[in-house]
Amino acid sequence: MENLLNAFVVLSNFVIIPAAAYGAQLALGALGVTLIYAVLRFSNFAHGDLMAFGTMATILGTWWLQAMGIGIHPLPTALLVLPLGVLAAVLLALGTDRVVYRFYRQRRSAPVVFVIVSVGVMFVYNALVRFFIGVEDRRFEDGERFIIRPNEFEALTGLDEGLALRSSQLLTVVVAILAMLALFWFLQRTRTGKAMRAFSDNEDLALLSGIDPKRVVLITWALAATLATLAGVLYGLDKSFRPFNYFQLLLPIFAAAIVGGIGKPFGAVIGGFVVAFSEVGLTYAYRRVLQYVVPEQWMPDGLAQLLSTDYKFAISFIILVLVLLIRPTGILRGRVI
Amino acid sequence: MSPALRTPLAFAAMAAALLGVGFFQSWTLALAILNLSLISAIMALGVNMQWGYAGLFNVGVMGFAALGGVAAVIVSMPPVPGAWAAGSWNLLFAALALLATIGAALLVRAKLPSGRRTLATLLVVVVGYFVIRFFGDQATEAIEGYESASTGYLGGLGLPILLAWIVGALFAAGGAWLIGKVALGLRSDYLAIATLGISEIILALLKNEAWLTRGVKNVTGLPRPAPYEIALQQDPAFVDFATGLGLPATTASSLAVSLVYTALFAVVLIVLLVLAERALNSPWGRMMRAIRDNRDAAAAMGKDVTRRHLQVFVIGSAVVGLAGAMLVTLDGQFTPGTYNPLRFTFLIWVMVILGGSGNNMGAVLGAFVIWFVWVQAEPAGLWLMSTITAGMEQGDALRQHLIDSAPHLRLFLMGAILLTVLRFSPRGILPEKTGTARPPV
């Protein structure tokens, strides 16, 4: 029993908790991608860099507050600045839509044109972020870092293995759940949310019913930018902020959105956790878990690691391919992409 | 201005710009820009085949270019007999296990009724994976452990490097065929995401499978198709020739080597251009454009759209792979860590769109223009920032920050160019030659 508990603690420490946090971050990112896809009907390649932009604005605000000595200990200062970061990202997204995308919407361009345009937008966002904050790794987490430290846990339970729960991990999951609940409530219960869903299901019919397309598009961008900033800030708190990493998050986020069923918000949440648990679970070396449950003579020689850690991207992609081969519309029967 | 006049004028302006670099900056720089422009032009030709002929949005250019680069290593580097001795048997077993797994999976899918197929296939793949890993781990450990500081990989075949260009094209074609099988026939967005993913995976493989590519330890000192500068400098005839031109022997030798590369690349580019033009103006090219402009009508006329897409996807990727092998040849080294999607995928896209999608000359011109801008943007950005901040104090933090961030102006410029072209002139500098007016994009 003791051994099983120890094994479970190790597993929680290195797989379950990190994957849950990462999954929540991916889910928030994928929600934004899915919303854009559902309403504006294209895959937004600039989403990762929009996340980076919102995070960058939050970090700059955080530094400013830290310099003035304002904080909300034990929570990280970044939470206090979050509305500011969200506002910056929303303004950027709306400005982009006004200057760039609106023209193609009026001309009813093909989706692939939107995708190429979003690549151009990606370049510009990327340059903006690098211009303001540079390309280095930044850590901006402050406040109380640990909810429980490994040695405290060991003293508390008497087990051999310590459990570490970082505050950013719990915060990520809590904030993500709140954000998702708010979003689903908005989509299901409010008039605007219903209008967005109607617009996504059948544009012509929605227009006939007197739904204002401008307003729907505006709200969609605002929501996507908000979710992107949330996802970006939480990811940055949990790990660290580097502009290039955010560009690379694009792939797992797309994978999460498609696996869940693109255009389906709830699917994005499921997809995010599926991708995160696969990524972390398949690249973790299970040796330390196995030593508690497998008898000595059966122990494998190696680290008992299924894939090297560098193949994380490959995993999200392989899941994507498998889902598309077996069930092209994703888990929740989303749109045909 | 008529298109017939536009093309030569545009190219003349480009040549003038390069000559300007030669006269005002240095001839070495001008030739360096020219060589990379030629390689970029070949990549842009490949992407133009996919996008301009067929409307396929391939965001995996980097991966195909890297596959070409691997080919250069595998073909031209000398083999490492010790590593072969250490790991070849296990490697052979791993390869056999891989083939057996694929065979068994296909057999299961063919023989079993559809209900139980997925589970059985999964089981076969999982068992196969562990068998492959069992042999593969032993093999890679032995190979990577063999004199890991100097080699630690299998080495290549020791063949001439020019052969690698063809092999690189074949590697990329093979990769493209696999991806195309999965991703084509779905919506365009999906092909984009799939190719983006696959190029990242190819890079991950190249960085990690050190037994094959040395991974992040890089392979340096690849054989060259051109003479070495040192050899030229020690050749009395060449030194006399250089002094006759009034150049120091060192400069003359590096220029001569660059010119050898230029000649090789130019030959490849011209051959490809002729082939691409002929293909575009043939019935095959007309059919491709028909599929691009109205897929349903073409399908109704009996054209196998997915098959044709696969065909052009493979051909275009092969051209990109060829360019990737040329690039590694020019650098003389293979460094998986330097492949970056912004530089290898999206930059090529900007070239194609700016030059004129669907027009081969346009793709080439776009490559020259964009590469020129990309190289010259950094000094220009630095000059701009220095000018802006000239009035500030020497140690001013903002000034330092602005000067440090000058290189990022490049990315901004590329994004701005792409967006501007798409918005105001979606057909590019040299628009596609069409019989009738095409609907605007």
Side-chain angles (χ1 to χ4, degrees):
Chain A
M1 191 63 219
E2 177 103 348
N3 275 345
L4 279 182
L5 277 177
N6 272 326
F8 180 72
V9 168
V10 176
L11 199 64
S12 311
N13 219 357
F14 293 102
V15 179
I16 297 174
I17 294 174
Y22 181 44
Q25 291 146 11
L26 284 186
L28 285 174
L31 274 171
V33 167
T34 267
L35 280 179
I36 298 283
Y37 192 89
V39 175
L40 301 164
R41 294 180 176 75
F42 74 98
S43 313
N44 181 13
F45 268 67
H47 199 77
D49 288 299
L50 182 62
M51 279 167 62
F53 186 87
T55 313
M56 177 202 78
T58 312
I59 294 176
L60 294 179
T62 306
W63 287 343
W64 183 60
L65 283 190
Q66 281 170 344
M68 301 215 300
I70 300 174
I72 40 170
H73 199 83
L75 292 171
T77 318
L79 278 191
L80 199 60
V81 196
L82 199 54
L84 200 76
V86 167
L87 186 70
V90 168
L91 288 177
L92 181 75
L94 293 181
T96 308
D97 186 67
R98 176 79 184 69
V99 176
V100 180
Y101 294 115
R102 199 178 67 152
F103 169 77
Y104 300 97
R105 246 199 330 277
Q106 285 165 349
R107 293 182 59 172
R108 298 212 163 224
S109 297
V112 72
V113 175
F114 277 96
V115 176
I116 297 180
V117 170
S118 79
V119 166
V121 171
M122 178 185 87
F123 262 114
V124 174
Y125 285 5
N126 201 314
L128 284 177
V129 171
R130 289 172 183 218
F131 186 84
F132 283 120
I133 204 165
V135 289
E136 297 85 12
D137 227 348
R138 309 268 184 197
R139 292 207 61 97
F140 58 104
E141 189 190 11
D142 52 3
E144 193 52 58
R145 291 220 168 166
F146 284 95
I147 289 171
I148 187 153
R149 288 170 197 275
N151 47 11
E152 292 168 4
F153 183 86
E154 281 170 46
L156 203 70
T157 57
L159 290 173
D160 300 344
E161 292 288 347
L163 181 78
L165 180 60
R166 299 222 324 274
S167 39
S168 62
Q169 290 167 331
L170 186 71
L171 193 74
T172 293
V173 177
V174 170
V175 171
I177 287 172
L178 287 177
M180 288 170 206
L181 286 176
L183 179 75
F184 291 132
W185 173 82
F186 171 81
L187 288 175
Q188 298 290 344
R189 292 272 177 266
T190 61
R191 279 185 68 86
T192 317
K194 284 178 184 165
M196 268 176 65
R197 286 195 359 251
F199 193 85
S200 147
D201 287 339
N202 186 335
E203 193 176 336
D204 299 332
L205 200 57
L207 294 178
L208 279 176
S209 321
I211 287 172
D212 179 10
K214 289 197 183 81
R215 193 154 159 267
V216 168
V217 168
L218 191 129
I219 300 279
T220 307
W221 276 115
L223 279 176
T226 307
L227 291 163
T229 310
L230 273 180
V233 170
L234 291 171
Y235 183 87
L237 279 175
D238 189 19
K239 298 168 180 78
S240 74
F241 174 80
R242 221 178 110 221
F244 189 65
N245 287 0
Y246 282 65
F247 166 77
Q248 292 208 301
L249 273 178
L250 200 58
L251 192 64
I253 283 175
F254 273 140
I258 293 174
V259 165
I262 193 141
K264 298 263 182 189
F266 193 62
V269 177
I270 297 175
F273 285 103
V274 167
V275 170
F277 272 89
S278 323
E279 273 193 23
V280 178
L282 288 174
T283 54
Y284 173 65
Y286 283 95
R287 191 176 174 81
R288 281 186 60 191
V289 177
L290 291 180
Q291 69 188 20
Y292 287 109
V293 282
V294 178
E296 196 66 41
Q297 61 271 28
W298 288 16
M299 256 324 257
D301 313 331
L303 292 167
Q305 186 181 17
L306 288 168
L307 277 173
S308 125
T309 332
D310 307 297
Y311 286 137
K312 274 195 171 159
F313 286 115
I315 293 169
S316 52
F317 181 75
I318 288 165
I319 296 169
L320 191 59
V321 171
L322 281 179
V323 166
L324 277 156
L325 288 176
I326 298 165
R327 193 162 170 167
T329 48
I331 296 172
L332 280 196
R333 296 261 183 252
R335 291 158 179 258
V336 177
I337 180 167
Chain B
M1 200 191 306
S2 73
L5 197 63
R6 212 172 181 172
T7 309
L9 270 180
F11 274 97
M14 194 63 233
L18 280 170
L19 287 173
V21 171
F23 281 114
F24 295 110
Q25 288 173 286
S26 81
W27 287 106
T28 333
L29 179 66
L31 277 177
I33 295 179
L34 177 63
N35 280 341
L36 275 167
S37 295
L38 288 166
I39 292 177
S40 306
I42 294 171
M43 282 193 194
L45 266 182
V47 173
N48 184 41
M49 286 171 195
Q50 294 169 345
W51 169 244
Y53 299 9
L56 297 175
F57 189 51
N58 169 15
V59 201
V61 180
M62 170 182 77
F64 297 120
L67 277 177
V70 174
V73 171
I74 290 176
V75 169
S76 74
M77 287 305 276
V80 183
W84 276 103
S88 54
W89 280 111
N90 277 321
L91 201 61
L92 182 71
F93 290 138
L96 286 176
L98 176 68
L99 291 174
T101 309
I102 294 171
L106 290 175
L107 196 72
V108 164
R109 290 197 77 77
K111 293 284 178 206
L112 282 183
S114 58
R116 278 174 301 183
R117 221 185 265 167
T118 315
L119 196 65
T121 318
L122 206 64
L123 197 70
V124 168
V125 170
V126 168
V127 170
Y129 177 77
F130 279 108
V131 176
I132 297 166
R133 274 291 298 266
F134 176 75
F135 291 116
D137 283 357
Q138 289 178 1
T140 50
E141 207 165 319
I143 292 167
E144 286 167 24
Y146 180 79
E147 294 189 1
S148 62
S150 59
T151 55
Y153 76 127
L154 285 176
L157 302 169
L159 297 168
I161 194 152
L162 292 185
L163 190 68
W165 297 5
I166 297 164
V167 177
L170 291 175
F171 276 16
W177 186 82
L178 280 176
I179 303 157
K181 271 296 192 199
V182 174
L184 288 166
L186 293 149
R187 244 193 71 171
S188 50
D189 298 36
Y190 181 64
L191 180 69
I193 294 164
T195 45
L196 179 77
I198 208 84
S199 70
E200 291 289 347
I201 291 179
I202 290 172
L203 253 287
L205 275 167
L206 299 186
K207 281 180 191 164
N208 281 299
E209 302 305 322
W211 57 274
L212 186 64
T213 62
R214 286 201 83 203
V216 288
K217 288 187 291 186
N218 302 338
V219 180
T220 50
L222 269 82
R224 284 167 45 162
Y228 282 85
E229 286 89 345
I230 295 288
L232 284 179
Q233 286 161 26
Q234 286 162 346
D235 180 9
F238 181 81
V239 175
D240 290 345
F241 171 71
T243 38
L245 288 174
L247 287 168
T250 44
T251 320
S253 64
S254 68
L255 286 178
V257 171
S258 291
L259 279 170
V260 172
Y261 280 120
T262 308
L264 281 171
F265 295 161
V267 167
V268 174
L269 177 61
I270 288 165
V271 169
L272 281 174
L273 250 177
V274 171
L275 290 176
E277 276 296 309
R278 291 202 52 176
L280 196 58
N281 297 326
S282 67
W284 179 86
R286 268 204 307 280
M287 174 192 65
M288 279 300 173
R289 288 198 298 277
I291 290 176
R292 176 194 67 191
D293 292 340
N294 195 337
R295 208 180 146 144
D296 300 337
M301 290 292 181
K303 303 297 176 206
D304 187 342
V305 175
T306 309
R307 201 178 126 243
R308 291 299 171 188
H309 274 176
L310 184 64
Q311 189 185 30
V312 82
F313 187 65
V314 167
I315 294 172
S317 300
V319 173
V320 173
L322 169 72
M326 290 161 73
L327 185 69
V328 170
T329 308
L330 176 68
D331 290 343
Q333 57 183 1
F334 177 67
T335 49
T338 54
Y339 287 89
N340 166 342
L342 287 175
R343 147 85 178 78
F344 275 90
T345 298
F346 296 114
L347 198 64
I348 308 291
W349 267 95
V350 180
M351 292 169 181
V352 173
I353 303 249
L354 172 80
S357 350
N359 182 335
N360 292 317
M361 292 312 269
V364 173
L365 179 72
F368 272 82
V369 173
I370 290 293
W371 187 253
F372 189 86
V373 173
W374 179 257
V375 172
Q376 298 289 7
E378 192 150 2
L382 208 57
W383 172 85
L384 179 75
M385 285 298 170
S386 308
T387 319
I388 290 175
T389 58
M392 297 185 189
E393 297 286 321
Q394 267 302 340
D396 191 62
L398 178 67
R399 176 175 189 207
Q400 197 49 46
H401 179 84
L402 284 176
I403 287 180
D404 285 346
S405 59
H408 308 314
L409 285 175
R410 242 187 200 183
L411 290 173
F412 186 82
L413 197 60
M414 289 303 147
I417 290 175
L418 183 59
L419 290 176
T420 316
V421 171
L422 281 170
R423 174 78 163 73
F424 297 107
S425 165
R427 303 181 63 199
I429 303 177
L430 303 177
E432 187 188 358
K433 302 186 275 283
T434 46
T436 52
R438 265 190 67 207
V441 182

